[in-house]
Amino acid sequence: MKSLTDPSQALSTGLAKIRTEFHVPDGFPVVVVAAAEAAAKRVPNQHADRTAMPFVTLDPASSTDLDQAFSIEASGGDLLLHYAIADVAWFVEDGDAVDLEAWTRGETLYLPDGKAGLYPPVIAEAAASLLPDGSRPAVVFTVRVAQDGAAKLDGAERAIIQSRAKLAYDSVKASDVPAGFAEMARRMAMNEKRRGASRVDPPEQEVERLADGTFRLSFRPLLQSEQDNAALSLAANMAIADAMFAHHTGLFRVMSEPDAFRVQRLRSAAQALGLSWPASTSLRDYQRTLDPTDPQQAALMLEIRHASAGASYQPYKEGVVPWHEAMAATYAHATAPLRRLADRYVVRCALAIANGQPVSQAVTDAFARLPQVMGRADSHASQINHAAIDLAEAVMLKGREGETFKAAVTDVVDHGVRVQLADMPVVANVKASGLRQGDDLTLRLVLADPDQRSIVFEPV
């Protein structure tokens, strides 16, 4: 991890420029704020009282838009996950000002100096957020997780809950979470292995704002608490996806596997990085063995991520099984409705199915429109994230032109190679020939321009 020294305020200036360049919303229109403030005062009257259940949340310490709270209990050999999801639909009605604004945004945008929310803070960080400062309306999904990790939706209801604690990834202790938390994560991991899932989480570049107002650029692997918490979302999303598919409706997250050409390039990359990949082992099986804390293996994990065609959204189609290759399962997004528009409709769909009710036409119509809207929003968020990282790299290296840096080749790209610096969380493309993946080399910094978010290296 590297702190960014920025006496000239180039990072702050650059982030402001990114917000302008990528049209990041600054607040909400007056009419949307007024509608949200009125909606936040709605008193829930269609919700069961589940305030006695011991729900907790687990998120980054600074998060205030809390989508999920959970409680776990044993049921014979099974575990019951009671997964409370913020009941955004209670506050946002089809066609109202808040809803229309959300359709223009698609998802919350995150920048190092702050976020541009999908919904106004009075909803996303107060009335609908599952904070422990009072009762909140939620949709509680009960997911039954068997000993082999198979997850099934047992039921869903609108309920009033009261979170007992706001837990943080970097400080949570085993005694803080419900009994069964680690066991559920173990079961889900075992089920992934049985399915042959290839979901991997390589460390990626991240720019974060620290408590003292400074910024840090780092390669950060997921904490164990994050991985275990992700297992809960995985269980709920898979169970909801299966329920929707069985009822011939829904919106699914789909992803295809890399083609044969890309797989062969990945095999070449593994060989160049000094990694052993047996010819008889598939990509799906091999990548499950990779260790994100090992630099060579982490580099290959990133290349595998880049080789993927990427995930997208797909509404139910008769005769088509929606498939997510990395999950090796039918999969959906339902657990983050405060941050993703699509989740609000999937939650509404699953709630209706679980209670034997028809899925509304408004939800079905939304499923047809959402793939394009969410695809555009995902692309927008990715562009902003890359711009922020490019800016942080240029700020970190500004003033060091002429210095040399050790690096390793992670991939061969058009007109050169992609490299990762040995001692800094910096990735760059370099014009060079005759190099292979895994090669070590020394680079001289030619240019670091925060204004253009550009860095240029040349081989020594």
Side-chain angles (χ1 to χ4, degrees):
M1 295 184 180
K2 299 287 185 179
S3 294
L4 299 174
T5 57
D6 186 25
S8 65
Q9 297 296 303
L11 187 66
S12 299
T13 301
L15 289 172
K17 182 178 178 181
I18 287 172
R19 289 175 175 274
T20 300
E21 180 180 338
F22 290 95
H23 306 288
V24 176
D26 181 14
F28 287 84
V30 173
V31 65
V32 176
V33 172
E37 289 175 344
K41 297 176 183 176
R42 292 175 186 160
V43 178
N45 58 17
Q46 299 176 14
H47 298 69
D49 185 352
R50 298 291 181 257
T51 54
M53 296 180 69
F55 285 100
V56 297
T57 62
L58 181 56
D59 297 273
S62 61
S63 292
T64 52
D65 49 350
L66 308 185
D67 293 283
Q68 313 124 10
F70 61 93
S71 177
I72 300 171
E73 65 174 307
S75 177
D78 297 339
L79 291 175
L80 292 183
L81 167 64
H82 302 292
Y83 211 38
I85 306 300
D87 191 0
V88 180
W90 181 255
F91 300 100
V92 182
E93 296 182 351
D94 295 324
D96 70 14
V98 179
D99 176 56
L100 295 177
E101 181 68 16
W103 275 87
T104 68
R105 298 185 180 216
E107 63 185 68
T108 295
L109 299 174
Y110 293 92
L111 287 89
D113 59 347
K115 65 191 175 192
L118 176 62
Y119 300 106
V122 68
I123 291 177
E125 300 176 53
S129 179
L130 304 182
L131 293 160
D133 59 357
S135 60
R136 296 290 195 279
V139 176
V140 179
F141 293 102
T142 297
V143 179
R144 181 176 295 273
V145 179
Q147 291 181 331
D148 65 356
K152 178 180 179 294
L153 184 62
D154 262 16
E157 65 174 354
R158 275 183 148 162
I160 301 298
I161 71 157
Q162 168 71 64
S163 173
R164 298 289 196 272
K166 181 179 182 291
L167 306 176
Y169 290 136
D170 59 0
S171 62
V172 65
K173 301 186 295 291
S175 58
D176 295 332
V177 295
F181 179 72
E183 170 61 15
M184 181 164 292
R186 187 195 67 80
R187 292 185 183 190
M188 294 306 298
M190 180 175 62
N191 188 264
E192 283 192 90
K193 184 175 182 179
R194 179 181 60 80
R195 298 194 317 270
S198 57
R199 184 173 62 94
V200 293
D201 296 300
E204 293 193 353
Q205 286 171 293
E206 178 181 83
V207 184
E208 59 178 325
R209 191 170 194 168
L210 306 181
D212 62 2
T214 62
F215 296 88
R216 179 170 62 196
L217 175 64
S218 63
F219 280 114
R220 190 183 69 82
L222 290 182
L223 298 171
Q224 188 62 49
S225 58
E226 291 177 272
Q227 297 180 50
D228 291 348
N229 193 48
L232 307 187
S233 289
L234 183 65
N237 285 330
M238 288 179 60
I240 289 170
D242 287 344
M244 291 192 300
F245 184 67
H247 284 78
H248 297 233
T249 186
L251 182 71
F252 304 92
R253 193 71 167 155
V254 297
M255 188 176 81
S256 59
E257 63 180 341
D259 58 30
F261 173 75
R262 288 176 176 172
V263 171
Q264 187 55 51
R265 287 197 65 185
L266 290 171
R267 285 187 174 276
S268 299
Q271 182 179 10
L273 289 165
L275 303 177
S276 175
W277 181 351
S280 60
T281 303
S282 68
L283 170 62
R284 178 187 293 176
D285 291 338
Y286 178 65
Q287 62 184 329
R288 290 184 57 83
T289 69
L290 298 175
D291 179 3
T293 64
D294 177 84
Q296 281 73 34
Q297 296 182 56
L300 184 62
M301 292 171 77
L302 284 172
E303 292 309 312
I304 293 171
R305 174 72 63 84
H306 294 149
S308 169
S312 60
Y313 291 90
Q314 177 181 299
Y316 175 81
K317 297 179 182 178
E318 192 67 39
V320 176
V321 177
W323 196 250
H324 195 295
E325 175 62 24
M327 301 294 181
T330 298
Y331 189 68
H333 274 168
T335 57
L338 289 173
R339 290 170 280 171
R340 290 188 302 246
L341 174 65
D343 295 42
R344 170 157 56 101
Y345 293 91
V346 173
V347 167
R348 290 171 62 183
C349 177
L351 179 63
I353 288 172
N355 290 281
Q357 299 171 352
V359 178
S360 72
Q361 190 62 46
V363 170
T364 301
D365 291 345
F367 286 160
R369 298 167 54 201
L370 280 164
Q372 182 177 1
V373 172
M374 296 305 299
R376 183 173 63 247
D378 285 348
S379 176
H380 190 209
S382 178
Q383 290 172 349
I384 290 170
N385 182 60
H386 287 139
I389 289 173
D390 290 345
L391 170 65
E393 290 178 333
V395 170
M396 177 178 283
L397 291 167
K398 180 66 176 174
R400 301 186 64 177
E401 292 85 347
E403 293 186 31
T404 58
F405 300 82
K406 298 294 184 181
V409 176
T410 60
D411 194 16
V412 177
V413 296
D414 291 340
H415 309 299
V417 293
R418 183 182 295 119
V419 302
Q420 180 177 316
L421 298 194
D423 299 318
M424 300 180 76
V426 172
V427 174
N429 287 345
V430 177
K431 291 183 178 180
S433 59
L435 293 170
R436 301 184 308 162
Q437 288 146 319
D439 284 351
D440 294 324
L441 71 162
T442 300
L443 301 172
R444 178 181 293 107
L445 180 62
V446 177
L447 174 70
D449 185 349
D451 187 56
Q452 297 297 318
R453 302 192 295 270
S454 175
I455 55 174
V456 178
F457 288 96
E458 63 180 9
V460 175

